Amino acid sequence: MLTGRDRELQYLQKFYEKSGSHLVVLYGQRGVGKTRLVREFAENTPGFYYACRDASEREQQFQWGRELDEAGVVMEGFPTWRELFAGSLQDFSGKQVLVLDEFQYLIKDDSTFVEELVSFVEERAERQEILTVMISSAASWVENSMIKKLGKGAFKLSGLLKIRPLGFFELREAFPGYSADQAFALYAVLGGNPGLWQCMSPAKSLKDNVCETILSPTGVLCGECRRILSEELRELNVYQTILSALAGGRHKLNDIYEYTGFSRAKISVYLKNLMELELIEKVFSYDTAGREHVQKGVYRICNHFVHFAFTYLYPNASRLEMISPQAFYEKNIVPGFRKFMCQAFREMCREYILREAAKGQFPFAISSVGEWAGKAGDIDFIARSKEGETLLALCQCEREKFPYEDYEWLLFLAKQAKLRTDHIWLFTDKGFDERLMAETREKENLSLILI
């Protein structure tokens, strides 16, 4: 059963049921579940799936032809594209689906491929309908270079859909035996990448999973962070130095400059590349009248697994080699892990709020959302209606109980940001102090939410 992809399945089904032939591109991070999504969609439809290789055109044609030959379609040793299309799309009744996985390997060095595919489909238009689904894990390439590479073929695209990571609540479905606290901790480490989830056993504890798959030198995810970086980036020494700075709490350009010694211009270029790969993000504060109190140019690691690796594995590489995974987990991860989880907790709370809004269980119709990065502190979530009605949220998971002082600080930040406080939601996974519990009985606009 595919979890959390109903909208994406409906998107593909729409093109399948729509008359005529269509060309659709699906893209997203490696491991996010693109291929599994298409496999689920195309399970009972006629067609052909081909996993493209990072190879020459001649080798590509040979491998595609060999797979067709094994499927019972006779092919020459090095068939042409048109022969491959004809072999993949037999004259069955009804619409057929042609899936080209990692299709960027087909067109990075051959811009005519899509034009030939479109020409072939158009020639068959009267007697055969074809849905071509092209998948890519090169998200940055799709967003920045694909259209130019496709040339005239770009005008034939019927749809373009980015497959985004899943959320915390989908992870909970995948690990039904985990407590909320264990699931939250796992989400902080892996994020919403189902490909990483599948490396973990729902029957094992968080500690056992992390020790066996990440910390052990034979673990399936040992070295995964370096692989993520090396697939798209050169000069890993520079990127790793910048990521180390960010993981160490240096979130502004000048802080990174002082730590790394690289020029500001160089750092800016590398930060841009990391943002295009969705490994880091630049924080843009919600636009308010209190602009003089806003922090500008703040960056943070947004890929959970990369954040985990550069918080714990990269700076402690020597110790990881010298002691057992279990000892490393207890000495290096456990002591500061609640603080590390705070960023993921904010994401989880935001997901909770938007789910409530989608169910109609929200004080007003949301027109805009965001966060506020202030010089004195942050407001984790802001939602506004068109009329200006405002909800502010603060998320806290580091301390045992949400203290009243944090609520007072939120009110202070709201004044600095010049934001209304029509509704205030406070989130924690532990509990609230007695003063806050008493306050919520007196203040109708204050809600305490225990996740």
Side-chain angles (χ1 to χ4, degrees):
M1 181 66 180
L2 196 62
T3 300
R5 294 301 188 196
D6 291 345
R7 184 180 68 87
E8 291 84 351
L9 284 171
Q10 290 170 7
Y11 182 87
L12 291 172
Q13 191 64 31
K14 176 187 71 174
F15 285 107
Y16 186 74
E17 295 174 355
K18 191 175 181 180
S19 63
S21 294
H22 300 282
L23 178 62
V24 177
V25 171
L26 300 183
Y27 73 102
Q29 300 171 13
R30 189 174 298 279
V32 80
K34 304 178 296 298
T35 303
R36 187 180 177 194
L37 167 69
V38 174
R39 187 169 69 238
E40 180 93 1
F41 159 72
E43 185 176 12
N44 298 312
T45 60
F48 190 78
Y49 168 90
Y50 176 64
C52 309
R53 279 68 157 176
D54 189 0
S56 68
E57 177 181 327
R58 183 176 171 84
E59 172 69 3
Q60 200 80 253
Q61 292 168 332
F62 173 78
Q63 293 297 340
W64 191 338
R66 183 185 58 78
E67 291 188 12
L68 281 169
D69 202 60
E70 289 179 353
V73 182
V74 178
M75 284 280 129
E76 297 294 333
F78 295 93
T80 65
W81 291 131
R82 283 181 166 271
E83 288 170 341
L84 289 168
F85 300 151
S88 302
L89 299 164
Q90 300 293 304
D91 288 324
F92 299 119
S93 61
K95 184 172 289 188
Q96 293 189 62
V97 179
L98 174 62
V99 180
L100 302 175
D101 207 344
E102 302 300 351
F103 78 98
Q104 71 274 8
Y105 296 138
L106 290 171
I107 67 174
K108 277 187 174 181
D109 297 319
D110 181 9
S111 58
T112 65
F113 174 83
V114 173
E115 292 182 21
E116 289 203 42
L117 174 61
V118 168
S119 175
F120 175 87
V121 171
E122 289 178 343
E123 288 174 9
R124 290 202 171 194
E126 292 186 2
R127 61 186 176 91
Q128 186 177 34
E129 292 186 347
I130 301 164
L131 173 59
T132 305
V133 181
M134 303 199 300
I135 306 172
S136 178
S137 296
S140 177
W141 175 81
V142 170
E143 294 177 344
N144 298 290
S145 305
M146 182 190 72
I147 297 299
K148 182 178 180 181
K149 195 67 180 176
L150 288 178
K152 293 180 181 179
F155 294 103
K156 300 299 181 179
L157 286 179
S158 304
L160 179 69
L161 180 64
K162 185 171 189 176
I163 309 302
R164 300 187 180 277
L166 296 173
F168 166 75
F169 294 97
E170 283 77 26
L171 182 142
R172 285 220 68 182
E173 290 183 37
F175 291 81
Y178 270 33
S179 65
D181 192 57
Q182 285 264 299
F184 167 40
L186 185 63
Y187 180 68
V189 175
L190 302 182
N193 189 312
L196 298 180
W197 300 356
Q198 292 172 12
C199 297
M200 303 290 184
S201 169
K204 295 181 179 179
S205 69
L206 173 74
K207 177 181 177 180
D208 288 344
N209 270 318
V210 170
C211 288
E212 292 176 18
T213 64
I214 301 175
L215 304 184
S216 170
T218 59
V220 66
L221 295 180
C222 179
E224 175 68 10
C225 181
R226 185 177 179 85
R227 186 195 64 77
I228 292 171
L229 298 177
S230 62
E231 278 189 347
E232 298 285 348
L233 300 170
R234 300 177 182 177
E235 297 184 274
L236 286 189
N237 59 326
V238 176
Y239 286 107
Q240 291 192 140
T241 302
I242 291 173
L243 288 167
S244 176
L246 289 169
R250 301 165 184 88
H251 299 294
K252 295 180 72 67
L253 182 62
N254 195 58
D255 298 334
I256 300 171
Y257 161 73
E258 291 180 352
Y259 176 82
T260 64
F262 303 144
S263 71
R264 291 179 176 83
K266 181 176 184 176
I267 293 169
S268 296
V269 171
Y270 284 76
L271 288 172
K272 179 177 179 293
N273 293 338
L274 289 168
M275 284 191 289
E276 287 182 353
L277 294 174
E278 298 180 347
L279 300 179
I280 72 169
E281 62 185 356
K282 187 174 183 179
V283 180
F284 292 97
S285 282
Y286 195 94
D287 190 20
T288 72
R291 297 180 186 87
E292 68 273 17
H293 298 293
V294 167
Q295 279 198 92
K296 297 179 181 178
V298 178
Y299 299 87
R300 65 186 173 209
I301 302 174
C302 58
N303 181 293
H304 288 220
F305 191 78
V306 172
H307 189 202
F308 177 82
F310 277 90
T311 299
Y312 295 109
L313 311 185
Y314 179 86
N316 299 298
S318 300
R319 180 174 293 180
L320 183 58
E321 293 291 333
M322 297 303 294
I323 63 178
S324 70
Q326 291 74 19
F328 183 90
Y329 185 90
E330 293 296 335
K331 293 179 180 178
N332 290 85
I333 295 177
V334 171
F337 195 64
R338 291 298 300 186
K339 182 177 180 180
F340 170 79
M341 292 165 68
C342 288
Q343 182 173 319
F345 188 69
R346 287 192 292 270
E347 292 179 21
M348 186 175 71
C349 295
R350 179 188 178 94
E351 183 184 346
Y352 173 90
I353 292 171
L354 295 178
R355 285 168 67 99
E356 291 296 292
K359 293 186 291 186
Q361 298 177 0
F362 202 73
F364 52 82
I366 297 175
S367 175
S368 58
V369 299
E371 61 183 290
W372 195 73
K375 295 176 181 177
D378 301 337
I379 299 175
D380 296 324
F381 186 84
I382 303 166
R384 264 182 176 168
S385 69
K386 289 182 179 179
E387 296 73 28
E389 191 173 356
T390 305
L391 180 143
L392 307 181
L394 194 63
C395 313
Q396 198 285 117
C397 74
E398 195 172 350
R399 291 183 285 277
E400 283 300 314
K401 289 190 176 182
F402 198 120
Y404 185 86
E405 291 74 22
D406 282 9
Y407 166 61
E408 290 184 311
W409 192 248
L410 174 60
L411 298 178
F412 168 74
L413 293 176
K415 287 182 179 179
Q416 283 203 326
K418 299 181 181 178
L419 287 165
R420 289 165 51 173
T421 55
D422 302 303
H423 309 274
I424 293 178
W425 287 10
L426 305 180
F427 289 86
T428 185
D429 65 333
K430 293 296 183 182
F432 300 90
D433 69 17
E434 292 181 4
R435 194 176 174 191
L436 259 180
M437 298 289 287
E439 187 80 5
T440 194
R441 290 190 287 269
E442 298 179 9
K443 299 284 182 66
E444 292 186 359
N445 72 327
L446 177 62
S447 298
L448 309 182
I449 302 170
L450 185 65
I451 294 185

